[in-house]
Amino acid sequence: MIDDLTTGSEDSFSNSWISWFLSTKGNEYFCEVDEEYILDRFNLTGLNNDVQNYSQALELITDSLDDEDLDDEQRDAIENSARYLYGLIHARYIITSRGLAKMLDKYRKTDFGRCPRVFCASQPLLPVGLSDVPYTKAVKLYCPRCEDLYSPKSSRHGSIDGAYFGTSFPHMLFLVYPQHLPSKTTNSLPSTSTPTTSAHAAIGVDRYLPKIFGFPVHEMAKHARWQEAQRDLQISRLEESSRDPSYV
């Protein structure tokens, strides 16, 4: 029974396994997958080969499991399989029209947190996987403004498998809802040889430019590194030529 699988009160898991799962601390990133979607076996194609105790895990998710004859070890195994199966189903569901709408609602409520970067002005984040293969990479948070990734602040969220969200989700969401895509920050610095007022203005708003007494040092440091690389290359060429007279 669900009662045996939880450590909280009855109110913590409501009347269904999915409600209980979503109310468990650490699962705030997940949305509710419609039961109609889960019951359509076409949507679950191939998952039976990836999940142990597949049939029983699916029955547990849909609240149709008869577990009276199961011992604690079997219940734990089925529970773990149900969590895993729900995560894989979730990855497929959130790129459907219904799933995208639910995740958009969570995005608008900032359920996934805000970008820690100062110039992103508390931009809401979205979960994303670095791999679609389970047990490969943990979930990361994608900022659509600076287009960079961040680790979740909570260790509970940081341990979620990234495959439960997939590599395509945030980009699919903004493809379907382009009106929610924020303006981009400036990702490139202007050349010191041809500076423009607009470029400098963009940097002043969106990008941090290191300066010493008001003078930018970024390009100067880049040029110094280039000079050092050229010097090292020239030294290696001279040493090679001294060892081999035929070296050109």
Side-chain angles (χ1 to χ4, degrees):
M1 291 294 184
I2 292 177
D3 306 56
D4 299 319
L5 300 173
T6 62
T7 57
S9 64
E10 292 184 1
D11 293 336
S12 66
F13 56 83
S14 186
N15 296 320
S16 70
W17 184 91
I18 294 179
S19 298
W20 164 79
F21 177 81
L22 295 177
S23 65
T24 303
K25 287 185 178 180
N27 292 338
E28 292 83 3
Y29 287 179
F30 292 90
C31 74
E32 181 180 2
V33 180
D34 294 331
E35 187 171 349
E36 293 80 5
Y37 182 89
I38 298 175
L39 293 176
D40 186 342
R41 296 304 176 94
F42 176 78
N43 297 325
L44 312 185
T45 301
L47 295 184
N48 60 313
N49 298 322
D50 299 329
V51 182
Q52 293 182 348
N53 306 307
Y54 172 80
S55 298
Q56 292 170 307
L58 185 58
E59 290 175 357
L60 177 58
I61 291 174
T62 56
D63 305 304
S64 57
L65 176 66
D66 181 6
D67 61 350
E68 292 183 358
D69 297 329
L70 300 177
D71 57 33
D72 291 342
E73 185 176 349
Q74 290 173 320
R75 287 193 185 97
D76 290 341
I78 295 172
E79 168 64 18
N80 290 333
S81 295
R83 290 170 177 266
Y84 179 52
L85 177 58
Y86 188 84
L88 297 180
I89 296 173
H90 184 268
R92 297 184 178 188
Y93 178 73
I94 60 175
I95 56 175
T96 66
S97 57
R98 178 67 174 158
L100 286 170
K102 289 188 177 183
M103 293 297 278
L104 176 64
D105 185 55
K106 293 174 69 66
Y107 168 70
R108 296 173 68 178
K109 295 177 180 177
T110 65
D111 286 355
F112 311 113
R114 298 180 181 275
C115 182
R117 185 173 177 272
V118 172
F119 290 125
C120 284
S122 299
Q123 168 65 40
L125 300 169
L126 284 168
V128 66
L130 296 179
S131 174
D132 293 310
V133 180
Y135 303 125
T136 303
K137 297 286 185 179
V139 70
K140 300 298 178 184
L141 296 172
Y142 170 75
C143 175
R145 188 178 295 273
C146 66
E147 298 185 320
D148 210 345
L149 298 180
Y150 301 90
S151 296
K153 292 182 178 180
S154 169
S155 59
R156 288 192 182 97
H157 297 149
S159 63
I160 298 174
D161 198 318
Y164 296 164
F165 297 89
T167 57
S168 303
F169 159 64
H171 319 298
M172 182 71 74
L173 186 141
F174 290 120
L175 186 65
V176 176
Y177 299 102
Q179 67 273 24
H180 291 283
L181 184 65
S183 59
K184 304 297 183 184
T185 58
T186 303
N187 292 317
S188 59
L189 294 171
S191 170
T192 53
S193 58
T194 56
T196 62
T197 303
S198 60
H200 280 298
I203 291 172
V205 173
D206 296 322
R207 302 289 294 184
Y208 173 70
L209 181 62
K211 295 181 179 181
I212 296 178
F213 301 121
F215 295 96
V217 299
H218 212 78
E219 288 295 324
M220 191 163 56
K222 180 180 178 181
H223 183 64
R225 289 194 298 271
W226 177 85
Q227 286 181 320
E228 291 174 359
Q230 292 299 312
R231 182 195 62 190
D232 294 340
L233 179 61
Q234 186 64 25
I235 290 175
S236 64
R237 286 177 175 175
L238 290 173
E239 291 175 348
E240 185 66 24
S241 64
S242 64
R243 290 192 297 268
D244 184 5
S246 64
Y247 179 84
V248 179

